[in-house]
């Protein structure tokens, strides 16, 4: 599928990758990366899963707000998304990730919140990129 690109993010990793440094071309992101303690690292820096979860949460919340607006559903300013990204060993001996997206949608009926989460999952670019590649589960809390 070809898209008409309207923005390109660019970052460079140096050093040891997970045990190194990442920096964006506009200098807005400039971080040391370290494996988490749970994966045998020092945990003294951020890690790729944290960066991915932050991006996924922000993107999904934007998608959720847009689908709610398109459906003429008012959502509370306290609405938020938590993206939990897990890192683990896959059956083939390598590593893989999964994601659990938790939507906090105060003031909505559970069925409406569930539907908005599902619609956002169809619309969000991160969800589209991961579909069929990693396990993503959705949960709505009202």
């Amino acid at each position: 599928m070809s898209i008409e690109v309207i923005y390109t993010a660019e970052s460079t990793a140096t050093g040891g990758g997970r045990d190194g440094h990442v920096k964006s071309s506009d200098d807005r992101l400039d971080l040391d990366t370290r494996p988490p303690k749970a994966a045998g690292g020092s945990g003294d820096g951020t890690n790729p899963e944290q960066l991915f979860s932050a991006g996924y949460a922000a993107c999904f919340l934007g998608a959720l707000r847009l689908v709610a607006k398109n459906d003429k559903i008012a959502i509370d300013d306290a609405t938020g998304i938590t993206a939990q990204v897990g890192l683990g060993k896959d059956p083939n001996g390598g590593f893989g990730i999964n994601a659990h997206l938790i939507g906090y949608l105060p003031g909505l009926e559970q069925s409406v919140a569930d539907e908005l989460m599902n619609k956002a999952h169809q619309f969000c670019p991160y969800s589209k990129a991961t579909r069929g590649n990693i396990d993503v589960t959705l949960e709505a809390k009202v």
Side-chain angles (χ1 to χ4, degrees):
M1 177 174 94
S2 181
I3 63 168
E4 181 183 332
V5 175
I6 58 172
Y7 170 75
T8 299
E10 179 181 329
S11 297
T12 300
T14 57
R18 288 184 166 277
D19 198 2
H21 194 86
V22 292
K23 185 175 182 179
S24 62
S25 60
D26 63 1
D27 297 326
R28 304 283 295 169
L29 185 69
D30 192 353
L31 304 166
D32 288 332
T33 52
R34 300 289 181 270
K37 287 183 181 183
S42 69
D44 292 336
T46 192
N47 59 68
E49 291 72 38
Q50 288 173 323
L51 296 170
F52 184 76
S53 72
Y56 203 166
C59 186
F60 198 91
L61 180 57
L64 182 78
R65 288 190 174 280
L66 185 60
V67 297
K69 180 181 175 184
N70 289 346
D71 286 354
K72 296 179 180 20
I73 298 171
I75 57 174
D76 193 282
D77 288 343
T79 297
I81 297 292
T82 296
Q84 299 172 337
V85 174
L87 170 68
K89 293 185 178 181
D90 71 25
N92 299 321
F95 290 91
I97 62 171
N98 66 12
H100 180 71
L101 303 175
I102 306 163
Y104 301 93
L105 298 125
L108 294 181
E109 294 292 327
Q110 186 66 51
S111 62
V112 174
D114 291 339
E115 178 148 348
L116 285 176
M117 289 289 290
N118 286 318
K119 285 183 176 182
H121 190 48
Q122 297 306 310
F123 188 79
C124 173
Y126 275 61
S127 290
K128 289 178 182 179
T130 60
R131 190 164 292 118
N133 297 311
I134 69 170
D135 289 333
V136 177
T137 57
L138 305 176
E139 180 180 357
K141 295 185 177 187
V142 296

